[in-house]
């Protein structure tokens, strides 16, 4: 095995404790990566849901209606716009990464 790819014994034990089952180490690490992606996706979705509820519209509607301009570029609306844009981009990125991870897992 390539020394740079070896996991320390303690790390292997932690993996066994964290991800039970007879999967090999690669499968266990992929499981943890998928769990992290799902956690990130959940955070981004919560931001999207919160702001959709707050403004009563989708992000696209928010942009189309120029809400920051309508609200005279208030700090709160500008911050919400940046958070929402980050969340929308984050969701797209994480969903793409999840698809790629799941496709390579099937191989």
């Amino acid at each position: 095995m390539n020394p740079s790819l070896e996991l320390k014994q303690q790390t292997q034990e932690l993996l066994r404790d964290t991800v039970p089952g007879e999967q090999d180490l690669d499968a266990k690490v992929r499981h943890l990566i998928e769990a992290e992606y799902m956690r990130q996706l959940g955070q981004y979705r919560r931001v999207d849901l919160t702001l959709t509820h707050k403004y009563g519209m989708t992000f696209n509607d928010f942009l189309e209606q120029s809400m920051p301009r309508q609200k005279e570029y208030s700090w709160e609306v500008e911050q919400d716009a940046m958070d929402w844009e980050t969340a929308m981009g984050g969701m797209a990125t994480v969903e793409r990464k999840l698809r790629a991870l799941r496709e390579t897992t099937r191989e």
Side-chain angles (χ1 to χ4, degrees), residues 2-90:
N2 182 340
S4 65
L5 297 178
E6 287 185 29
L7 291 176
K8 293 179 181 178
Q9 185 63 35
Q10 181 183 18
T11 303
Q12 291 181 38
E13 290 171 14
L14 289 168
L15 271 172
R16 276 193 291 277
D17 294 343
T18 305
V19 185
E22 298 301 316
Q23 303 163 314
D24 63 15
L25 290 178
D26 185 74
K28 288 182 183 233
V29 170
R30 286 175 172 276
H31 176 82
L32 293 174
I33 291 169
E34 182 175 6
E36 173 58 17
Y37 286 160
M38 294 302 294
R39 184 195 66 76
Q40 291 174 9
L41 190 57
Q43 283 185 310
Y44 292 135
R45 285 180 175 163
R46 278 189 295 282
V47 170
D48 179 40
L49 185 63
T50 298
L51 294 173
T52 296
H53 179 73
K54 180 176 180 176
Y55 290 96
M57 63 184 74
T58 66
F59 180 65
N60 287 337
D61 291 340
F62 179 87
L63 293 177
E64 287 174 10
Q65 294 182 27
S66 301
M67 289 306 293
R69 186 176 59 208
Q70 283 188 32
K71 300 292 183 176
E72 299 178 357
Y73 301 99
S74 75
W75 175 254
E76 180 182 1
V77 176
E78 286 290 318
Q79 188 66 51
D80 286 346
M82 288 186 290
D83 291 346
W84 212 346
E85 183 173 21
T86 299
M88 298 306 287

